[in-house]
Amino acid sequence: MNKIKVLQADQAQKIAAGEVIERPSNVIKEIIENSIDAGATQISLFIEDTGKNLIRVVDNGCGMTSDDAQMCFLPHATSKITSMDELENIDSFGFRGEALASISAVSRVTLITKLNRLQDSDAGIKVEFVDGKVRDVQPASCNVGTDISIHSLFYNVPVRKKFLKQDETEWNLIQSIFHAFCLSHTAIHFKLFRDDKMVLNAPTVTDIKTRVSQIWGNNISQNLLELTPKKHAENWLDFYGYISNHNFWRYGRTHIFFFVNNRWIKNSELSKALLKGYLNVLPPAKFPAAFIFATVDKTFVDVNCHPKKEEVRFLKPATVQARLQEVVKATLEINISAQLSPQKTVSIFEETPTNFEYKDQYFVEKSFASGLNIQQPNFTENKSKFYHNNDAADSDFISPLIKINSVLQYKESVVNQTQDDIDFGRDQSINQDYYNFKIIGQLFNTYIVLENGDDLIIIDQHAAHERILYEKMLKNFERKDGVRLMFPEILKLTEHQINLLLEHQDFLNNQGIEFDVFGKSEISIKSGPVALVKASLQELILEIVNFIDENEEMDNDVFRKKLNEHTHSHLACKSAIKAGDELSVLQMQNLVQELQKTNNRFICVHGRPTTWTIKRPDLEKNFKRR
């Protein structure tokens, strides 16, 4: 008896469906691609039970005839190509003729469609498929376009259904693919519904940045930089789109999207090239937001290398990766250079009343200042630059400068340094690493340069201040008072994210963050930590909720400790003075002394060094003096 047997057609189709349809998001991708290929300008997606119970896509595309509607679910039935030769110049998303056949093999499908050439009074067609076979065909009253419903996904393949992830994971995958279509087709009006509730309404827009605002709000879009085009000899490749600036990052890759010829793809090599462009820009284990579109000559890319059409193969992959890295790096360099260029600055010390009395003891003691070779401030000439504030909070916090036209704006409520509390006398708690220092100056408005005995010391002002603030926050276990916002900030979140915040509302309150749930998908932020501007406050909350979502399965004590450290590191980073902030001699002195009193002062929270020491012998060797 022969061992080899030919499988029945329906069994073979169910097995083959596994290559194309693994989860609900795969179904959604295939159906929406068909809607786009049909020329739809309006696409609505309805989801029930994260796609396991119902996936419904309604569009206003060209529709189908009765014969096409019954034939479209047959294996390898397609309207896109007639031979392999046409693949080289394919413009449509679909072309393999496998998706609809695979979907109908593992679900119950209802298709209602009406051809756009028909009159309004003409009827459309309704076709029902079960196990890949037509069960019923009848006329239907409907609008022009297609309305397709997929019920009971994997009802006849229980092993596949068993391997689906948790509902929120599957829902995140659905949102990700839907967001990708929204980004790549800004001329289409998209709507997303979950369990009869509208989750996203994205009308047509003219640019990608506006679409990002529709999907994720202004927190991301206002931190985006348009990719800087660069001319190259290779005219078969070009990049455009947006990436986040150097002050914005995520804790995962959820906001990284790549498109090749407007087709959303997954490509690990492009991801590596993107991160190489951010090398030495982002902290370790942090990721940018990126919405990158590659226009590639069709003869240089193969879109038929994966059953789900999620991957492509480039004829010259190394060139593509190098170009992407170069474009990203150039965009960041232009932005950073613009921020570090000379700008008009205003002092944090406001104009003072004419009857204000100045006292020398509020500032540097003359004897100590002369020992440091620091010019004594002339209080008569600079009378309007300083003031004494008895109500200022924690005097150990260094006040950042406020820059005009800078993207790094600070609130006016930033804690001002109390001048009479600045003590440059000998402090017994200060470490002796560079006590007898002499400030040489500030380099690039980013580094403080000191002379200390036979050492030349360079301090990264942002990294140092970040470490100072972080250590102070860790020591303060009491409730931190927030600043009441004059106008509450509205932040758009998903229902799942709001529930996570509510579960940890006591923790947020202890950080000075108070909020109320506003509507079904928004929160109203009433107060926040001192020195955080609007964008930073919203970003802090997003980072907290993402951290909770990714790490909530930890042991409760470990989780709370990690969450506390994570939140304080973010607060310290956003509150610290920045690269490009011009500091006075007094501020530099105070920063250096505070750093000397700080634990773990040689590295910042993200692992970067705060100081770099050059020994005198090494310096003299370089100048051939030894």
Side-chain angles (χ1 to χ4, degrees):
M1 183 177 179
N2 295 333
K3 293 183 178 181
I4 297 177
K5 299 177 182 179
V6 178
L7 291 174
Q8 294 181 2
D10 61 332
Q11 299 300 315
Q13 188 61 42
K14 290 178 184 178
I15 296 173
E19 297 182 2
V20 182
I21 307 301
E22 293 181 344
R23 52 183 15 98
S25 58
N26 300 139
V27 176
I28 292 165
K29 176 180 180 294
E30 300 294 345
I31 299 299
I32 292 182
E33 284 181 347
N34 284 339
S35 296
I36 294 173
D37 287 341
T41 59
Q42 297 179 13
I43 299 176
S44 297
L45 172 62
F46 300 83
I47 301 295
E48 290 183 9
D49 193 20
T50 60
K52 294 184 289 241
N53 184 40
L54 173 67
I55 298 172
R56 181 187 175 201
V57 177
V58 181
D59 68 55
N60 65 343
C62 63
M64 290 182 280
T65 64
S66 176
D67 291 340
D68 285 346
Q70 297 177 62
M71 191 181 299
C72 68
F73 285 90
L74 297 177
H76 309 297
T78 179
S79 62
K80 314 300 171 54
I81 62 173
T82 57
S83 68
M84 280 288 295
D85 297 335
E86 299 177 33
L87 278 179
E88 189 171 293
N89 295 306
I90 191 74
D91 288 318
S92 63
F93 283 103
F95 53 83
R96 298 172 65 97
E98 295 178 338
L100 293 180
S102 298
I103 292 170
S104 65
V106 294
S107 65
R108 298 184 175 94
V109 181
T110 301
L111 173 67
I112 303 174
T113 184
K114 181 178 179 179
L115 195 65
N116 58 1
R117 294 198 302 266
L118 299 178
Q119 300 295 324
D120 291 340
S121 59
D122 294 334
I125 188 76
K126 178 180 179 181
V127 185
E128 293 184 4
F129 295 84
V130 178
D131 291 333
K133 299 176 182 178
V134 177
R135 187 174 70 174
D136 186 33
V137 180
Q138 57 183 337
S141 176
C142 60
N143 296 321
V144 170
T146 301
D147 181 343
I148 182 170
S149 300
I150 293 90
H151 299 270
S152 307
L153 185 62
F154 301 135
Y155 78 98
N156 54 358
V157 192
V159 66
R160 183 62 50 77
K161 193 171 185 177
K162 183 176 67 175
F163 280 93
L164 291 178
K165 303 294 184 181
Q166 294 180 352
D167 285 353
E168 284 306 318
T169 301
E170 295 295 340
W171 172 245
N172 289 336
L173 293 171
I174 290 171
Q175 286 191 108
S176 181
I177 186 63
F178 191 78
H179 292 161
F181 283 119
C182 291
L183 291 166
S184 61
H185 294 82
T186 55
I188 297 178
H189 185 171
F190 288 95
K191 294 180 181 180
L192 174 61
F193 298 82
R194 182 184 187 185
D195 297 329
D196 296 326
K197 295 180 181 179
M198 180 180 286
V199 176
L200 176 63
N201 182 18
T204 58
V205 293
T206 57
D207 62 278
I208 301 165
K209 193 172 183 179
T210 306
R211 186 69 104 185
V212 171
S213 295
Q214 288 180 337
I215 300 172
W216 293 288
N218 294 328
N219 182 49
I220 294 180
S221 62
Q222 67 187 1
N223 286 290
L224 293 181
L225 307 172
E226 187 170 6
L227 284 179
T228 303
K230 292 181 72 69
K231 293 184 179 180
H232 284 271
E234 303 93 347
N235 57 7
W236 55 271
L237 173 65
D238 191 23
F239 286 102
Y240 68 95
Y242 292 86
I243 59 174
S244 56
N245 61 43
H246 63 289
N247 293 310
F248 182 91
W249 60 76
R250 307 279 86 182
Y251 285 83
R253 303 172 189 262
T254 54
H255 291 88
I256 297 178
F257 290 82
F258 293 106
F259 303 87
V260 172
N261 295 339
N262 228 32
R263 181 191 299 273
W264 176 69
I265 65 162
K266 297 177 180 178
N267 190 294
S268 60
E269 297 305 317
L270 287 182
S271 294
K272 292 177 183 178
L274 171 67
L275 296 180
K276 286 180 180 178
Y278 278 88
L279 194 63
N280 297 323
V281 174
L282 293 182
K286 305 298 185 295
F287 301 91
F291 313 98
I292 298 175
F293 293 75
T295 303
V296 186
D297 189 301
K298 295 173 185 175
T299 60
F300 284 79
V301 61
D302 180 11
V303 298
N304 188 32
C305 62
H306 194 279
K308 295 195 287 288
K309 304 185 293 295
E310 291 180 344
E311 300 177 8
V312 297
R313 184 178 292 115
F314 297 106
L315 185 63
K316 297 181 178 180
T319 301
V320 176
Q321 295 160 30
R323 285 278 299 277
L324 174 59
Q325 180 181 344
E326 183 180 351
V327 169
V328 170
K329 188 174 181 180
T331 302
L332 292 171
E333 286 178 346
I334 291 174
N335 177 63
I336 295 174
S337 298
Q339 292 188 28
L340 295 180
S341 61
Q343 301 184 47
K344 180 181 178 181
T345 62
V346 294
S347 174
I348 59 173
F349 305 110
E350 304 291 345
E351 192 76 26
T352 56
T354 56
N355 60 351
F356 188 88
E357 294 184 5
Y358 290 87
K359 299 181 181 180
D360 288 358
Q361 63 265 30
Y362 291 162
F363 302 93
V364 185
E365 295 180 9
K366 295 181 180 180
S367 59
F368 185 71
S370 60
L372 291 178
N373 195 25
I374 299 172
Q375 183 177 355
Q376 181 74 10
N378 187 323
F379 300 122
T380 303
E381 295 177 358
N382 299 286
K383 190 171 183 178
S384 64
K385 293 184 179 180
F386 300 95
Y387 75 100
H388 174 61
N389 179 8
N390 287 318
D391 298 326
D394 192 352
S395 63
D396 291 329
F397 282 56
I398 317 299
S399 299
L401 293 182
I402 301 174
K403 286 205 164 205
I404 293 178
N405 297 326
S406 171
V407 296
L408 306 176
Q409 295 288 335
Y410 292 93
K411 286 186 178 179
E412 293 182 1
S413 60
V414 170
V415 181
N416 291 307
Q417 177 65 45
T418 308
Q419 294 299 326
D420 60 342
D421 286 340
I422 299 178
D423 181 11
F424 292 104
R426 190 179 185 92
D427 189 330
Q428 297 301 322
S429 65
I430 295 179
N431 293 293
Q432 302 303 312
D433 298 314
Y434 32 86
Y435 172 72
N436 294 313
F437 62 86
K438 179 173 69 176
I439 291 184
I440 299 174
Q442 190 181 20
L443 180 65
F444 309 134
N445 282 349
T446 300
Y447 306 100
I448 300 171
V449 183
L450 311 176
E451 177 186 338
N452 180 46
D454 286 341
D455 295 338
L456 175 67
I457 300 172
I458 303 175
I459 298 176
D460 184 323
Q461 63 190 38
H462 172 73
H465 194 202
E466 180 183 276
R467 170 55 71 179
I468 293 168
L469 296 178
Y470 179 73
E471 293 297 329
K472 288 182 178 294
M473 290 176 184
L474 286 185
K475 293 177 181 178
N476 181 15
F477 291 102
E478 298 178 358
R479 178 186 174 92
K480 303 174 182 64
D481 293 328
V483 176
R484 180 70 60 174
L485 303 183
M486 182 175 296
F487 301 102
E489 303 292 348
I490 304 300
L491 179 60
K492 185 177 181 181
L493 298 170
T494 66
E495 185 176 351
H496 175 63
Q497 289 175 322
I498 291 176
N499 290 334
L500 290 177
L501 288 179
L502 290 174
E503 291 175 10
H504 297 84
Q505 193 167 15
D506 60 332
F507 172 80
L508 293 171
N509 290 340
N510 287 334
Q511 307 306 314
I513 302 172
E514 296 181 2
F515 69 92
D516 291 326
V517 178
F518 184 76
K520 297 180 180 179
S521 59
E522 293 177 328
I523 63 172
S524 173
I525 308 169
K526 299 188 297 182
S527 68
V530 176
L532 283 190
V533 297
K534 171 183 174 182
S536 297
L537 177 57
Q538 293 184 354
E539 183 183 346
L540 171 64
I541 294 176
L542 288 171
E543 297 297 352
I544 290 175
V545 74
N546 288 337
F547 182 86
I548 293 172
D549 195 18
E550 295 175 5
N551 300 278
E552 201 172 19
E553 295 180 0
M554 291 181 178
D555 176 77
N556 187 58
D557 292 338
V558 176
F559 170 74
R560 273 306 177 110
K561 180 181 178 182
K562 293 290 185 182
L563 178 59
N564 195 58
E565 293 175 351
H566 173 80
T567 303
H568 289 163
S569 66
H570 191 93
L571 274 171
C573 181
K574 292 301 179 182
S575 302
I577 54 179
K578 302 293 188 292
D581 286 346
E582 184 178 353
L583 304 181
S584 67
V585 173
L586 289 171
Q587 289 174 312
M588 286 188 280
Q589 289 173 340
N590 199 11
L591 179 62
V592 173
Q593 285 205 334
E594 288 296 324
L595 185 63
Q596 287 178 286
K597 296 185 288 185
T598 301
N599 294 329
N600 304 312
R601 60 191 175 280
F602 295 113
I603 59 171
C604 76
V605 178
H606 304 105
R608 294 190 297 109
T610 59
T611 61
W612 178 34
T613 302
I614 303 175
K615 298 291 184 182
R616 181 173 180 174
D618 295 332
L619 193 62
E620 292 179 340
K621 284 181 181 179
N622 281 288
F623 283 102
K624 308 298 181 183
R625 288 182 173 273
R626 289 200 175 201

